[in-house]
Amino acid sequence: MDDQTRMLTGLTGLAGLAQADVGDPDSVRKQQSLGQPQQDIGDILQQIMAITDESLDEAQARCWPEESPAHWGGSDDPTEGGRAGGGMAGGGLPLNFQHRKHALNCHRMKPALFSVLCEIKEKTVLSIRGVQEEDPPDPQIMRLDNMLLAEGVSGPEKGGGSAAAAAAAAAAGGSPTDSSIEHSDYRAKLAQIRQIYHSELEKYEQACSEFTNHVMNLLREQSRTRPISPKEIERMVAIIHRKFSSIQMQLKQSTCEAVMILRSRFLDARRKRRNFNKQATEVLNEYFYSHLSNPYPSEEAKEELAKKCAITVSQVSNWFGNKRIRYKKNIGKFQEEANLYAVKTAVDAANVSAQASQANSPATPNSGSPGSYSLSHTGDAYLNLRSLNGEGLNIAPSLQPQVDTLHRATHLTGGYEELSGSGLYTPHRLDANSWQDTTTPPSVTSPPGPPGSVHSDASN
DNA sequence: CGACATGATTTCGT
DNA sequence: ACGAAATCATGTCG
C-alpha cells in the first residue's frame, strides 16, 4: 500500500500556488502605462497621482503590515508590490501620518478616481484575461470523475451492498473460499484509497476556500487604497479555483492510477485461474452428462448449479461453454468420463426409484410419470440412454438406466478409435446429441421424450 | 520444464 | 444476450 499513499501525497504543492496568479498591484500600474488611448483622463490621473503618490506610499507603508495576515507566505505577499521605501522602523510613525492617510481616504475625489481607474482596468487588464475564460467541463476530468464513480471511490458511501455481497459469497462457499478473501482484501484496499482520496479532497477544498477568503479579504482591504473592482475580485477567485481544480485533477488522476494498479493486482487475478473443487466439477459433470442431449442449463438451472458449486452463474456458463466445445471436439476423450457419470446417475436413479418403490406400493414402479424423479438429472439420463439404446423399449424406467449403462459400457470399450482420424461420429449413437451436430438444424434438440423430463430441476 | 488440463476472455455470428 | 470457436493464461503433473 505504500505506493498508493506515496502517489497521493506530494500533491500538496500549495506553496507554489500562492505566488502564481494572485493579485499583483504592480501589474496594474504596468498595464496602466500601456493604456495610451485615454490621453485626457490619463493627464488628469497623472496630476492626481502626483499629488497623492508620495503620501500614499508612506501611508501604505504604515498601514498595511498590521492588517495583512502573514501566514500565506512572506515575500509573496501581494501587498509588497510597488512599495518603494523598504526598511520600516519598528517604532511608530508620527501621528500625523495617520491623519494624512485618513484625509486621503476621505478625499471627496477618491471614489471618482477609483471608479475611473477601475474602468480603465476593465478595459485593459481584464479584457486581456477574459479571452482565456470559459473552460467547459474538462472532458478529461469528467472521464476521471466517471471512473472514480464507477469504481466506487467517489460517490455515495457504498458499504452496504458490497459488504452484503461479500458476506453472501462467503456464506455460499461452506469453506472460506479464498476468492472471497481476496475480494475483501481488494475492497479493503479500495476503501483505503477511497479514504485517502476523500481526506485529500477535503483538505484541498478547505485550503481553497481558506485561500480564497484570504485573497478576497486582502483585495477588499486593498480596495480602500487602490482601485479594485468587484469583477476583478471575482476573476481572482475564479483563477484560484481553477488552480485548485487542476490540483484536484492531479489527485483524481493519481487515485485512478492507484485503483488501476489495485485492480490489475487483484480483480484481474480473475484471469488467474483456479480450478474448481472436486465437488463442484462433480456436480457440473453430473448435470452435463445427464443432460447430454441438451446441455444448456436454463437460467434457473445455472443459478442452482452455481449455488451448489459455490461459483458464479457466469462461471457456470463458462464451464458449460468450455465443456460443450471440448466434448464436441473430442468425444472419444470424454467417453470414459461420460460412462462414469452415466453409471453414477444410473445408480442414483436406481437408488431413488428403489427407495420410492419401497416406500410406495410395489404395484406402480413409476411407470409413466417422470415427475416422480426427485433428482433433476434422472429424467434426461433416462432419455439419453434410451435413445442411445436405439429404440425406446418397454423396460421399466427404474431399470432402464442401469441396463443402458451396462450396454454402453460394454460396447464402448473399443469403439472410438477411428473418431480422431476421420470425422465420423458414429451417428447412430449420438443422434440424441444434435446440439453438437452443426450440420443438422437445431430444431430437433430434444426428442419427444417423456413430458417434463427436462424440468423438475428446481425441485432439487 | 514441457505437455496437457482448465477456467476466463475475446471474437464473431445469430 | 447467448453461444460457438479460438485463444489466452495459469495450474498441474510427470
PDB file of all heavy atoms in Angstrom, chain C:
ATOM      1  P    DA C   1     -27.428  -7.277 -22.707  1.00  0.00           P
ATOM      2  OP1  DA C   1     -28.098  -6.956 -21.505  1.00  0.00           O
ATOM      3  OP2  DA C   1     -26.041  -7.102 -23.027  1.00  0.00           O
ATOM      4  O5'  DA C   1     -27.914  -8.715 -23.247  1.00  0.00           O
ATOM      5  C5'  DA C   1     -29.224  -9.170 -22.924  1.00  0.00           C
ATOM      6  C4'  DA C   1     -29.309 -10.624 -23.299  1.00  0.00           C
ATOM      7  O4'  DA C   1     -29.065 -10.731 -24.726  1.00  0.00           O
ATOM      8  C3'  DA C   1     -28.289 -11.521 -22.617  1.00  0.00           C
ATOM      9  O3'  DA C   1     -28.880 -12.777 -22.338  1.00  0.00           O
ATOM     10  C2'  DA C   1     -27.187 -11.644 -23.659  1.00  0.00           C
ATOM     11  C1'  DA C   1     -27.956 -11.578 -24.963  1.00  0.00           C
ATOM     12  N9   DA C   1     -27.192 -10.969 -26.070  1.00  0.00           N
ATOM     13  C8   DA C   1     -26.460  -9.829 -26.038  1.00  0.00           C
ATOM     14  N7   DA C   1     -25.891  -9.528 -27.179  1.00  0.00           N
ATOM     15  C5   DA C   1     -26.290 -10.546 -28.022  1.00  0.00           C
ATOM     16  C6   DA C   1     -26.015 -10.820 -29.370  1.00  0.00           C
ATOM     17  N6   DA C   1     -25.256 -10.047 -30.145  1.00  0.00           N
ATOM     18  N1   DA C   1     -26.565 -11.928 -29.907  1.00  0.00           N
ATOM     19  C2   DA C   1     -27.337 -12.698 -29.140  1.00  0.00           C
ATOM     20  N3   DA C   1     -27.658 -12.547 -27.856  1.00  0.00           N
ATOM     21  C4   DA C   1     -27.098 -11.447 -27.347  1.00  0.00           C
ATOM     22  P    DC C   2     -28.071 -13.807 -21.513  1.00  0.00           P
ATOM     23  OP1  DC C   2     -29.011 -14.391 -20.547  1.00  0.00           O
ATOM     24  OP2  DC C   2     -26.801 -13.206 -21.057  1.00  0.00           O
ATOM     25  O5'  DC C   2     -27.726 -14.925 -22.597  1.00  0.00           O
ATOM     26  C5'  DC C   2     -28.781 -15.484 -23.375  1.00  0.00           C
ATOM     27  C4'  DC C   2     -28.193 -16.367 -24.442  1.00  0.00           C
ATOM     28  O4'  DC C   2     -27.613 -15.544 -25.468  1.00  0.00           O
ATOM     29  C3'  DC C   2     -27.075 -17.279 -23.923  1.00  0.00           C
ATOM     30  O3'  DC C   2     -27.391 -18.622 -24.226  1.00  0.00           O
ATOM     31  C2'  DC C   2     -25.824 -16.799 -24.642  1.00  0.00           C
ATOM     32  C1'  DC C   2     -26.382 -16.102 -25.875  1.00  0.00           C
ATOM     33  N1   DC C   2     -25.535 -15.004 -26.407  1.00  0.00           N
ATOM     34  C2   DC C   2     -25.162 -14.995 -27.756  1.00  0.00           C
ATOM     35  O2   DC C   2     -25.559 -15.916 -28.485  1.00  0.00           O
ATOM     36  N3   DC C   2     -24.377 -13.992 -28.226  1.00  0.00           N
ATOM     37  C4   DC C   2     -23.979 -13.025 -27.391  1.00  0.00           C
ATOM     38  N4   DC C   2     -23.216 -12.062 -27.902  1.00  0.00           N
ATOM     39  C5   DC C   2     -24.352 -13.010 -26.024  1.00  0.00           C
ATOM     40  C6   DC C   2     -25.124 -14.007 -25.568  1.00  0.00           C
ATOM     41  P    DG C   3     -26.564 -19.793 -23.632  1.00  0.00           P
ATOM     42  OP1  DG C   3     -27.476 -20.882 -23.268  1.00  0.00           O
ATOM     43  OP2  DG C   3     -25.633 -19.221 -22.644  1.00  0.00           O
ATOM     44  O5'  DG C   3     -25.709 -20.231 -24.896  1.00  0.00           O
ATOM     45  C5'  DG C   3     -26.386 -20.570 -26.090  1.00  0.00           C
ATOM     46  C4'  DG C   3     -25.388 -20.716 -27.212  1.00  0.00           C
ATOM     47  O4'  DG C   3     -24.869 -19.417 -27.549  1.00  0.00           O
ATOM     48  C3'  DG C   3     -24.175 -21.595 -26.873  1.00  0.00           C
ATOM     49  O3'  DG C   3     -23.997 -22.532 -27.917  1.00  0.00           O
ATOM     50  C2'  DG C   3     -23.028 -20.603 -26.770  1.00  0.00           C
ATOM     51  C1'  DG C   3     -23.468 -19.500 -27.717  1.00  0.00           C
ATOM     52  N9   DG C   3     -22.908 -18.187 -27.430  1.00  0.00           N
ATOM     53  C8   DG C   3     -22.934 -17.518 -26.238  1.00  0.00           C
ATOM     54  N7   DG C   3     -22.345 -16.343 -26.286  1.00  0.00           N
ATOM     55  C5   DG C   3     -21.907 -16.250 -27.591  1.00  0.00           C
ATOM     56  C6   DG C   3     -21.197 -15.205 -28.249  1.00  0.00           C
ATOM     57  O6   DG C   3     -20.813 -14.138 -27.765  1.00  0.00           O
ATOM     58  N1   DG C   3     -20.949 -15.508 -29.573  1.00  0.00           N
ATOM     59  C2   DG C   3     -21.337 -16.658 -30.199  1.00  0.00           C
ATOM     60  N2   DG C   3     -21.003 -16.784 -31.494  1.00  0.00           N
ATOM     61  N3   DG C   3     -21.993 -17.646 -29.622  1.00  0.00           N
ATOM     62  C4   DG C   3     -22.248 -17.366 -28.318  1.00  0.00           C
ATOM     63  P    DA C   4     -22.931 -23.621 -27.856  1.00  0.00           P
ATOM     64  OP1  DA C   4     -23.560 -24.895 -28.234  1.00  0.00           O
ATOM     65  OP2  DA C   4     -22.206 -23.496 -26.585  1.00  0.00           O
ATOM     66  O5'  DA C   4     -21.943 -23.192 -29.031  1.00  0.00           O
ATOM     67  C5'  DA C   4     -22.490 -22.941 -30.315  1.00  0.00           C
ATOM     68  C4'  DA C   4     -21.371 -22.663 -31.318  1.00  0.00           C
ATOM     69  O4'  DA C   4     -20.875 -21.326 -31.107  1.00  0.00           O
ATOM     70  C3'  DA C   4     -20.160 -23.588 -31.212  1.00  0.00           C
ATOM     71  O3'  DA C   4     -19.663 -23.806 -32.524  1.00  0.00           O
ATOM     72  C2'  DA C   4     -19.185 -22.803 -30.357  1.00  0.00           C
ATOM     73  C1'  DA C   4     -19.518 -21.361 -30.713  1.00  0.00           C
ATOM     74  N9   DA C   4     -19.400 -20.396 -29.616  1.00  0.00           N
ATOM     75  C8   DA C   4     -19.891 -20.515 -28.350  1.00  0.00           C
ATOM     76  N7   DA C   4     -19.666 -19.470 -27.585  1.00  0.00           N
ATOM     77  C5   DA C   4     -18.977 -18.608 -28.419  1.00  0.00           C
ATOM     78  C6   DA C   4     -18.446 -17.319 -28.214  1.00  0.00           C
ATOM     79  N6   DA C   4     -18.532 -16.652 -27.064  1.00  0.00           N
ATOM     80  N1   DA C   4     -17.818 -16.731 -29.237  1.00  0.00           N
ATOM     81  C2   DA C   4     -17.729 -17.392 -30.405  1.00  0.00           C
ATOM     82  N3   DA C   4     -18.187 -18.603 -30.725  1.00  0.00           N
ATOM     83  C4   DA C   4     -18.807 -19.154 -29.665  1.00  0.00           C
ATOM     84  P    DA C   5     -18.566 -24.915 -32.746  1.00  0.00           P
ATOM     85  OP1  DA C   5     -18.761 -25.489 -34.083  1.00  0.00           O
ATOM     86  OP2  DA C   5     -18.526 -25.779 -31.551  1.00  0.00           O
ATOM     87  O5'  DA C   5     -17.231 -24.042 -32.767  1.00  0.00           O
ATOM     88  C5'  DA C   5     -17.134 -22.976 -33.701  1.00  0.00           C
ATOM     89  C4'  DA C   5     -15.907 -22.153 -33.408  1.00  0.00           C
ATOM     90  O4'  DA C   5     -16.162 -21.313 -32.265  1.00  0.00           O
ATOM     91  C3'  DA C   5     -14.646 -22.958 -33.090  1.00  0.00           C
ATOM     92  O3'  DA C   5     -13.668 -22.672 -34.075  1.00  0.00           O
ATOM     93  C2'  DA C   5     -14.218 -22.488 -31.703  1.00  0.00           C
ATOM     94  C1'  DA C   5     -14.957 -21.172 -31.536  1.00  0.00           C
ATOM     95  N9   DA C   5     -15.347 -20.826 -30.173  1.00  0.00           N
ATOM     96  C8   DA C   5     -16.015 -21.591 -29.268  1.00  0.00           C
ATOM     97  N7   DA C   5     -16.241 -21.001 -28.118  1.00  0.00           N
ATOM     98  C5   DA C   5     -15.676 -19.751 -28.287  1.00  0.00           C
ATOM     99  C6   DA C   5     -15.579 -18.627 -27.432  1.00  0.00           C
ATOM    100  N6   DA C   5     -16.061 -18.601 -26.194  1.00  0.00           N
ATOM    101  N1   DA C   5     -14.954 -17.537 -27.912  1.00  0.00           N
ATOM    102  C2   DA C   5     -14.457 -17.565 -29.155  1.00  0.00           C
ATOM    103  N3   DA C   5     -14.493 -18.541 -30.052  1.00  0.00           N
ATOM    104  C4   DA C   5     -15.123 -19.627 -29.550  1.00  0.00           C
ATOM    105  P    DA C   6     -12.243 -23.306 -34.015  1.00  0.00           P
ATOM    106  OP1  DA C   6     -11.779 -23.542 -35.393  1.00  0.00           O
ATOM    107  OP2  DA C   6     -12.246 -24.410 -33.035  1.00  0.00           O
ATOM    108  O5'  DA C   6     -11.409 -22.083 -33.400  1.00  0.00           O
ATOM    109  C5'  DA C   6     -11.622 -20.788 -33.923  1.00  0.00           C
ATOM    110  C4'  DA C   6     -10.793 -19.778 -33.167  1.00  0.00           C
ATOM    111  O4'  DA C   6     -11.429 -19.472 -31.904  1.00  0.00           O
ATOM    112  C3'  DA C   6      -9.375 -20.241 -32.837  1.00  0.00           C
ATOM    113  O3'  DA C   6      -8.469 -19.201 -33.150  1.00  0.00           O
ATOM    114  C2'  DA C   6      -9.424 -20.535 -31.339  1.00  0.00           C
ATOM    115  C1'  DA C   6     -10.483 -19.554 -30.857  1.00  0.00           C
ATOM    116  N9   DA C   6     -11.201 -19.974 -29.656  1.00  0.00           N
ATOM    117  C8   DA C   6     -11.756 -21.192 -29.409  1.00  0.00           C
ATOM    118  N7   DA C   6     -12.349 -21.282 -28.240  1.00  0.00           N
ATOM    119  C5   DA C   6     -12.171 -20.030 -27.684  1.00  0.00           C
ATOM    120  C6   DA C   6     -12.561 -19.476 -26.451  1.00  0.00           C
ATOM    121  N6   DA C   6     -13.234 -20.150 -25.529  1.00  0.00           N
ATOM    122  N1   DA C   6     -12.216 -18.186 -26.213  1.00  0.00           N
ATOM    123  C2   DA C   6     -11.540 -17.515 -27.144  1.00  0.00           C
ATOM    124  N3   DA C   6     -11.114 -17.936 -28.333  1.00  0.00           N
ATOM    125  C4   DA C   6     -11.468 -19.208 -28.551  1.00  0.00           C
ATOM    126  P    DT C   7      -6.927 -19.430 -33.007  1.00  0.00           P
ATOM    127  OP1  DT C   7      -6.237 -18.622 -34.023  1.00  0.00           O
ATOM    128  OP2  DT C   7      -6.654 -20.880 -32.878  1.00  0.00           O
ATOM    129  O5'  DT C   7      -6.659 -18.748 -31.591  1.00  0.00           O
ATOM    130  C5'  DT C   7      -7.229 -17.486 -31.322  1.00  0.00           C
ATOM    131  C4'  DT C   7      -6.997 -17.113 -29.875  1.00  0.00           C
ATOM    132  O4'  DT C   7      -7.957 -17.795 -29.031  1.00  0.00           O
ATOM    133  C3'  DT C   7      -5.610 -17.495 -29.338  1.00  0.00           C
ATOM    134  O3'  DT C   7      -4.917 -16.310 -28.994  1.00  0.00           O
ATOM    135  C2'  DT C   7      -5.899 -18.364 -28.123  1.00  0.00           C
ATOM    136  C1'  DT C   7      -7.335 -18.013 -27.798  1.00  0.00           C
ATOM    137  N1   DT C   7      -8.110 -19.079 -27.101  1.00  0.00           N
ATOM    138  C2   DT C   7      -8.709 -18.769 -25.893  1.00  0.00           C
ATOM    139  O2   DT C   7      -8.635 -17.671 -25.383  1.00  0.00           O
ATOM    140  N3   DT C   7      -9.408 -19.805 -25.323  1.00  0.00           N
ATOM    141  C4   DT C   7      -9.559 -21.085 -25.833  1.00  0.00           C
ATOM    142  O4   DT C   7     -10.207 -21.921 -25.224  1.00  0.00           O
ATOM    143  C5   DT C   7      -8.905 -21.330 -27.095  1.00  0.00           C
ATOM    144  C7   DT C   7      -9.009 -22.677 -27.713  1.00  0.00           C
ATOM    145  C6   DT C   7      -8.213 -20.322 -27.656  1.00  0.00           C
ATOM    146  P    DC C   8      -3.455 -16.380 -28.452  1.00  0.00           P
ATOM    147  OP1  DC C   8      -2.712 -15.264 -29.046  1.00  0.00           O
ATOM    148  OP2  DC C   8      -2.953 -17.765 -28.550  1.00  0.00           O
ATOM    149  O5'  DC C   8      -3.710 -16.049 -26.908  1.00  0.00           O
ATOM    150  C5'  DC C   8      -4.627 -15.025 -26.571  1.00  0.00           C
ATOM    151  C4'  DC C   8      -4.812 -14.968 -25.070  1.00  0.00           C
ATOM    152  O4'  DC C   8      -5.693 -16.024 -24.634  1.00  0.00           O
ATOM    153  C3'  DC C   8      -3.522 -15.129 -24.276  1.00  0.00           C
ATOM    154  O3'  DC C   8      -3.492 -14.150 -23.264  1.00  0.00           O
ATOM    155  C2'  DC C   8      -3.619 -16.534 -23.697  1.00  0.00           C
ATOM    156  C1'  DC C   8      -5.117 -16.699 -23.542  1.00  0.00           C
ATOM    157  N1   DC C   8      -5.613 -18.103 -23.582  1.00  0.00           N
ATOM    158  C2   DC C   8      -6.431 -18.574 -22.554  1.00  0.00           C
ATOM    159  O2   DC C   8      -6.701 -17.838 -21.616  1.00  0.00           O
ATOM    160  N3   DC C   8      -6.900 -19.845 -22.617  1.00  0.00           N
ATOM    161  C4   DC C   8      -6.586 -20.615 -23.664  1.00  0.00           C
ATOM    162  N4   DC C   8      -7.080 -21.846 -23.692  1.00  0.00           N
ATOM    163  C5   DC C   8      -5.759 -20.145 -24.724  1.00  0.00           C
ATOM    164  C6   DC C   8      -5.302 -18.891 -24.645  1.00  0.00           C
ATOM    165  P    DA C   9      -2.120 -13.828 -22.572  1.00  0.00           P
ATOM    166  OP1  DA C   9      -2.137 -12.391 -22.242  1.00  0.00           O
ATOM    167  OP2  DA C   9      -1.017 -14.421 -23.348  1.00  0.00           O
ATOM    168  O5'  DA C   9      -2.249 -14.647 -21.211  1.00  0.00           O
ATOM    169  C5'  DA C   9      -3.388 -14.436 -20.409  1.00  0.00           C
ATOM    170  C4'  DA C   9      -3.347 -15.406 -19.246  1.00  0.00           C
ATOM    171  O4'  DA C   9      -3.886 -16.676 -19.677  1.00  0.00           O
ATOM    172  C3'  DA C   9      -1.943 -15.694 -18.715  1.00  0.00           C
ATOM    173  O3'  DA C   9      -1.958 -15.586 -17.316  1.00  0.00           O
ATOM    174  C2'  DA C   9      -1.647 -17.111 -19.165  1.00  0.00           C
ATOM    175  C1'  DA C   9      -3.044 -17.715 -19.232  1.00  0.00           C
ATOM    176  N9   DA C   9      -3.198 -18.807 -20.175  1.00  0.00           N
ATOM    177  C8   DA C   9      -2.595 -18.954 -21.393  1.00  0.00           C
ATOM    178  N7   DA C   9      -2.923 -20.067 -22.019  1.00  0.00           N
ATOM    179  C5   DA C   9      -3.806 -20.677 -21.147  1.00  0.00           C
ATOM    180  C6   DA C   9      -4.520 -21.895 -21.226  1.00  0.00           C
ATOM    181  N6   DA C   9      -4.437 -22.727 -22.260  1.00  0.00           N
ATOM    182  N1   DA C   9      -5.314 -22.218 -20.189  1.00  0.00           N
ATOM    183  C2   DA C   9      -5.389 -21.375 -19.148  1.00  0.00           C
ATOM    184  N3   DA C   9      -4.770 -20.213 -18.956  1.00  0.00           N
ATOM    185  C4   DA C   9      -3.985 -19.918 -20.009  1.00  0.00           C
ATOM    186  P    DT C  10      -0.616 -15.701 -16.507  1.00  0.00           P
ATOM    187  OP1  DT C  10      -0.496 -14.454 -15.770  1.00  0.00           O
ATOM    188  OP2  DT C  10       0.478 -16.210 -17.348  1.00  0.00           O
ATOM    189  O5'  DT C  10      -1.012 -16.835 -15.461  1.00  0.00           O
ATOM    190  C5'  DT C  10      -2.302 -16.809 -14.863  1.00  0.00           C
ATOM    191  C4'  DT C  10      -2.724 -18.208 -14.501  1.00  0.00           C
ATOM    192  O4'  DT C  10      -2.859 -19.017 -15.693  1.00  0.00           O
ATOM    193  C3'  DT C  10      -1.728 -18.951 -13.590  1.00  0.00           C
ATOM    194  O3'  DT C  10      -2.427 -19.408 -12.454  1.00  0.00           O
ATOM    195  C2'  DT C  10      -1.226 -20.099 -14.461  1.00  0.00           C
ATOM    196  C1'  DT C  10      -2.410 -20.301 -15.395  1.00  0.00           C
ATOM    197  N1   DT C  10      -2.095 -20.987 -16.680  1.00  0.00           N
ATOM    198  C2   DT C  10      -2.747 -22.152 -16.984  1.00  0.00           C
ATOM    199  O2   DT C  10      -3.574 -22.660 -16.255  1.00  0.00           O
ATOM    200  N3   DT C  10      -2.385 -22.704 -18.182  1.00  0.00           N
ATOM    201  C4   DT C  10      -1.474 -22.215 -19.088  1.00  0.00           C
ATOM    202  O4   DT C  10      -1.238 -22.808 -20.129  1.00  0.00           O
ATOM    203  C5   DT C  10      -0.831 -20.983 -18.711  1.00  0.00           C
ATOM    204  C7   DT C  10       0.193 -20.379 -19.619  1.00  0.00           C
ATOM    205  C6   DT C  10      -1.160 -20.437 -17.537  1.00  0.00           C
ATOM    206  P    DG C  11      -1.714 -20.000 -11.239  1.00  0.00           P
ATOM    207  OP1  DG C  11      -2.302 -19.383 -10.038  1.00  0.00           O
ATOM    208  OP2  DG C  11      -0.264 -19.953 -11.478  1.00  0.00           O
ATOM    209  O5'  DG C  11      -2.168 -21.528 -11.293  1.00  0.00           O
ATOM    210  C5'  DG C  11      -3.559 -21.826 -11.276  1.00  0.00           C
ATOM    211  C4'  DG C  11      -3.760 -23.326 -11.387  1.00  0.00           C
ATOM    212  O4'  DG C  11      -3.460 -23.743 -12.740  1.00  0.00           O
ATOM    213  C3'  DG C  11      -2.873 -24.165 -10.476  1.00  0.00           C
ATOM    214  O3'  DG C  11      -3.639 -25.267  -9.993  1.00  0.00           O
ATOM    215  C2'  DG C  11      -1.743 -24.624 -11.396  1.00  0.00           C
ATOM    216  C1'  DG C  11      -2.461 -24.746 -12.732  1.00  0.00           C
ATOM    217  N9   DG C  11      -1.641 -24.515 -13.907  1.00  0.00           N
ATOM    218  C8   DG C  11      -0.857 -23.422 -14.167  1.00  0.00           C
ATOM    219  N7   DG C  11      -0.240 -23.483 -15.325  1.00  0.00           N
ATOM    220  C5   DG C  11      -0.648 -24.696 -15.852  1.00  0.00           C
ATOM    221  C6   DG C  11      -0.306 -25.307 -17.084  1.00  0.00           C
ATOM    222  O6   DG C  11       0.440 -24.895 -17.972  1.00  0.00           O
ATOM    223  N1   DG C  11      -0.933 -26.541 -17.231  1.00  0.00           N
ATOM    224  C2   DG C  11      -1.784 -27.097 -16.315  1.00  0.00           C
ATOM    225  N2   DG C  11      -2.309 -28.288 -16.627  1.00  0.00           N
ATOM    226  N3   DG C  11      -2.117 -26.538 -15.159  1.00  0.00           N
ATOM    227  C4   DG C  11      -1.506 -25.342 -14.993  1.00  0.00           C
ATOM    228  P    DT C  12      -3.128 -26.212  -8.938  1.00  0.00           P
ATOM    229  OP1  DT C  12      -4.273 -26.604  -8.110  1.00  0.00           O
ATOM    230  OP2  DT C  12      -1.928 -25.601  -8.326  1.00  0.00           O
ATOM    231  O5'  DT C  12      -2.671 -27.463  -9.801  1.00  0.00           O
ATOM    232  C5'  DT C  12      -3.547 -27.959 -10.798  1.00  0.00           C
ATOM    233  C4'  DT C  12      -2.932 -29.188 -11.466  1.00  0.00           C
ATOM    234  O4'  DT C  12      -2.139 -28.762 -12.599  1.00  0.00           O
ATOM    235  C3'  DT C  12      -2.005 -30.019 -10.576  1.00  0.00           C
ATOM    236  O3'  DT C  12      -2.298 -31.382 -10.793  1.00  0.00           O
ATOM    237  C2'  DT C  12      -0.616 -29.648 -11.075  1.00  0.00           C
ATOM    238  C1'  DT C  12      -0.892 -29.419 -12.551  1.00  0.00           C
ATOM    239  N1   DT C  12       0.061 -28.537 -13.274  1.00  0.00           N
ATOM    240  C2   DT C  12       0.472 -28.905 -14.537  1.00  0.00           C
ATOM    241  O2   DT C  12       0.097 -29.915 -15.094  1.00  0.00           O
ATOM    242  N3   DT C  12       1.348 -28.021 -15.127  1.00  0.00           N
ATOM    243  C4   DT C  12       1.845 -26.848 -14.588  1.00  0.00           C
ATOM    244  O4   DT C  12       2.624 -26.151 -15.219  1.00  0.00           O
ATOM    245  C5   DT C  12       1.371 -26.532 -13.270  1.00  0.00           C
ATOM    246  C7   DT C  12       1.839 -25.282 -12.599  1.00  0.00           C
ATOM    247  C6   DT C  12       0.504 -27.383 -12.687  1.00  0.00           C
ATOM    248  P    DC C  13      -1.866 -32.455  -9.750  1.00  0.00           P
ATOM    249  OP1  DC C  13      -3.074 -33.018  -9.126  1.00  0.00           O
ATOM    250  OP2  DC C  13      -0.776 -31.916  -8.908  1.00  0.00           O
ATOM    251  O5'  DC C  13      -1.240 -33.563 -10.719  1.00  0.00           O
ATOM    252  C5'  DC C  13      -1.715 -33.653 -12.067  1.00  0.00           C
ATOM    253  C4'  DC C  13      -0.633 -34.226 -12.954  1.00  0.00           C
ATOM    254  O4'  DC C  13       0.155 -33.148 -13.514  1.00  0.00           O
ATOM    255  C3'  DC C  13       0.354 -35.145 -12.234  1.00  0.00           C
ATOM    256  O3'  DC C  13       0.561 -36.313 -13.002  1.00  0.00           O
ATOM    257  C2'  DC C  13       1.610 -34.309 -12.136  1.00  0.00           C
ATOM    258  C1'  DC C  13       1.512 -33.483 -13.410  1.00  0.00           C
ATOM    259  N1   DC C  13       2.277 -32.208 -13.361  1.00  0.00           N
ATOM    260  C2   DC C  13       2.961 -31.761 -14.523  1.00  0.00           C
ATOM    261  O2   DC C  13       2.909 -32.445 -15.543  1.00  0.00           O
ATOM    262  N3   DC C  13       3.647 -30.592 -14.457  1.00  0.00           N
ATOM    263  C4   DC C  13       3.664 -29.891 -13.328  1.00  0.00           C
ATOM    264  N4   DC C  13       4.350 -28.743 -13.324  1.00  0.00           N
ATOM    265  C5   DC C  13       2.977 -30.314 -12.150  1.00  0.00           C
ATOM    266  C6   DC C  13       2.298 -31.474 -12.219  1.00  0.00           C
ATOM    267  P    DG C  14       1.123 -37.618 -12.340  1.00  0.00           P
ATOM    268  OP1  DG C  14       0.084 -38.655 -12.438  1.00  0.00           O
ATOM    269  OP2  DG C  14       1.696 -37.276 -11.025  1.00  0.00           O
ATOM    270  O5'  DG C  14       2.305 -37.992 -13.328  1.00  0.00           O
ATOM    271  C5'  DG C  14       2.046 -38.017 -14.732  1.00  0.00           C
ATOM    272  C4'  DG C  14       3.351 -37.866 -15.485  1.00  0.00           C
ATOM    273  O4'  DG C  14       3.818 -36.500 -15.361  1.00  0.00           O
ATOM    274  C3'  DG C  14       4.478 -38.755 -14.973  1.00  0.00           C
ATOM    275  O3'  DG C  14       5.184 -39.307 -16.079  1.00  0.00           O
ATOM    276  C2'  DG C  14       5.377 -37.802 -14.209  1.00  0.00           C
ATOM    277  C1'  DG C  14       5.169 -36.498 -14.968  1.00  0.00           C
ATOM    278  N9   DG C  14       5.400 -35.294 -14.183  1.00  0.00           N
ATOM    279  C8   DG C  14       5.002 -35.069 -12.894  1.00  0.00           C
ATOM    280  N7   DG C  14       5.351 -33.886 -12.443  1.00  0.00           N
ATOM    281  C5   DG C  14       6.018 -33.303 -13.512  1.00  0.00           C
ATOM    282  C6   DG C  14       6.621 -32.021 -13.626  1.00  0.00           C
ATOM    283  O6   DG C  14       6.683 -31.130 -12.771  1.00  0.00           O
ATOM    284  N1   DG C  14       7.190 -31.837 -14.875  1.00  0.00           N
ATOM    285  C2   DG C  14       7.177 -32.748 -15.896  1.00  0.00           C
ATOM    286  N2   DG C  14       7.772 -32.383 -17.021  1.00  0.00           N
ATOM    287  N3   DG C  14       6.622 -33.948 -15.805  1.00  0.00           N
ATOM    288  C4   DG C  14       6.056 -34.153 -14.590  1.00  0.00           C
TER     289       DG C  14
END
